[in-house]
Amino acid sequence: MSEPITLNVGGKLYTTSLSTLTSFPDSMLGAMFSGKIPTKKDSQGNCFIDRDGKIFRYILNFLRTSHLDLPEDFQEMGLLRREVDFYQIQPLIEALQEKEVELSKAEKNAMLNITLDQKTQTVHFTVREAPQIYSLSSSNMEVFSARIFSTSCLFLKLLGSKLYYCFNGNLSSISSYLQDPNHLTLDWVASVDGLPEEEYTRQNLKRLWVVPDNKQINSFQVFVEEVLKIAMSDGFCIDSAHPHTSDFMNNKIIRLIRYK
């Protein structure tokens, strides 16, 4: 093995050998470290590559072992694909394509389970009637909760691209609220007549929207309809055993299945 060499990839340091980096001469790394392409240095004299430092561990491990090893809950395939395209290691490109086919097959059969809960809550707020004149008001507000589990991580990502929270005047994808790749918890409120917009922010009240339709979800019926639309477009169907089709819209637990 050749002498150790330290790389700075996007601010993250890796130590390996020159022979490992040049094990595929036709790749970007092979060209960089054989002198065909000039390399940059950081302030410590380490070779610097302005790419994603975290993802580089999988690139480097492939150079060492010729195997693409990813964690079971790996969620950055798109980013890995872009990095693999940059480094142009042909056997790694092929290994990634095989991995994506493997994951796609594993995702075909899936189950989706949704548990719904709803309650009525009184919200108190002040209303500005005139300069320096305020009145105290209150109103009943519907509060919704949905606990979603799916064996398909990709479906929850799809759901996250369609449903958005409205909070503090901004829309943000529910994807950032994923507890893990298979579980998602949603909590939101219906709009309240007369409640000033700033009160939603002050009282930490989120509303739920469907995009790109720009449709607000103010009831469980609308929520179920929209989730059904998204799920069925992805190949899911209602589990005939639970609940009974005639009671579907009134059920607190909903299960859908997909067979491909």
Side-chain angles (χ1 to χ4, degrees), residues 140-155:
N140 288 334
M141 174 180 63
E142 296 302 318
V143 180
F144 306 103
S145 176
R147 307 288 183 265
I148 304 172
F149 167 77
S150 179
T151 56
S152 171
C153 306
L154 294 180
F155 173 73

Side-chain angles (χ1 to χ4, degrees), residues 230-242:
I230 298 167
M232 289 182 170
S233 71
D234 199 42
F236 282 90
C237 62
I238 299 171
D239 186 344
S240 59
H242 188 90

Side-chain angles (χ1 to χ4, degrees), residues 83-115:
E83 295 304 294
V84 168
D85 286 343
F86 171 78
Y87 290 108
Q88 284 297 301
I89 303 167
Q90 190 57 40
L92 177 54
I93 293 173
E94 295 169 2
L96 180 58
Q97 290 171 344
E98 292 176 4
K99 180 70 71 174
E100 289 180 318
V101 170
E102 177 185 322
L103 291 174
S104 176
K105 287 180 179 178
E107 284 274 351
K108 285 183 178 179
N109 296 334
M111 187 266 285
L112 172 63
N113 196 81
I114 305 173
T115 303

Side-chain angles (χ1 to χ4, degrees), residues 74-234:
F74 186 72
Q75 296 294 305
E76 297 182 296
M77 290 297 287
L79 178 56
L80 177 59
R81 191 181 307 114
R82 286 190 291 275
E83 295 304 294
V84 168
D85 286 343
F86 171 78
Y87 290 108
Q88 284 297 301
I89 303 167
Q90 190 57 40
L92 177 54
I93 293 173
E94 295 169 2
L96 180 58
Q97 290 171 344
E98 292 176 4
K99 180 70 71 174
E100 289 180 318
V101 170
E102 177 185 322
L103 291 174
S104 176
K105 287 180 179 178
E107 284 274 351
K108 285 183 178 179
N109 296 334
M111 187 266 285
L112 172 63
N113 196 81
I114 305 173
T115 303
L116 305 172
D117 188 36
Q118 179 179 357
K119 63 182 179 181
T120 301
Q121 177 179 313
T122 301
V123 58
H124 303 280
F125 55 96
T126 56
V127 177
R128 185 180 183 183
E129 298 180 346
Q132 299 182 351
I133 299 177
Y134 295 86
S135 63
L136 182 62
S137 184
S138 64
S139 182
N140 288 334
M141 174 180 63
E142 296 302 318
V143 180
F144 306 103
S145 176
R147 307 288 183 265
I148 304 172
F149 167 77
S150 179
T151 56
S152 171
C153 306
L154 294 180
F155 173 73
L156 288 188
K157 284 187 174 182
L158 173 63
L159 198 63
S161 71
K162 304 290 186 180
L163 299 181
Y164 279 67
Y165 276 136
C166 177
F167 184 70
N168 197 23
N170 299 308
L171 290 176
S172 61
S173 170
I174 63 169
S175 295
S176 57
Y177 294 86
L178 278 167
Q179 297 165 284
D180 60 54
N182 300 102
H183 293 84
L184 174 65
T185 298
L186 298 179
D187 297 289
W188 76 98
V189 301
S191 291
V192 178
D193 290 339
L195 183 65
E197 190 66 30
E198 60 270 17
E199 285 293 325
Y200 288 97
T201 301
R202 190 179 71 82
Q203 299 194 38
N204 196 31
L205 303 173
K206 299 182 181 70
R207 286 160 291 175
L208 193 62
W209 288 74
V210 181
V211 297
D213 299 340
N214 289 328
K215 181 179 182 180
Q216 187 173 353
I217 297 178
N218 273 327
S219 69
F220 265 148
Q221 180 172 346
V222 174
F223 175 77
V224 171
E225 289 173 351
E226 293 300 327
V227 171
L228 271 179
K229 191 186 304 181
I230 298 167
M232 289 182 170
S233 71
D234 199 42

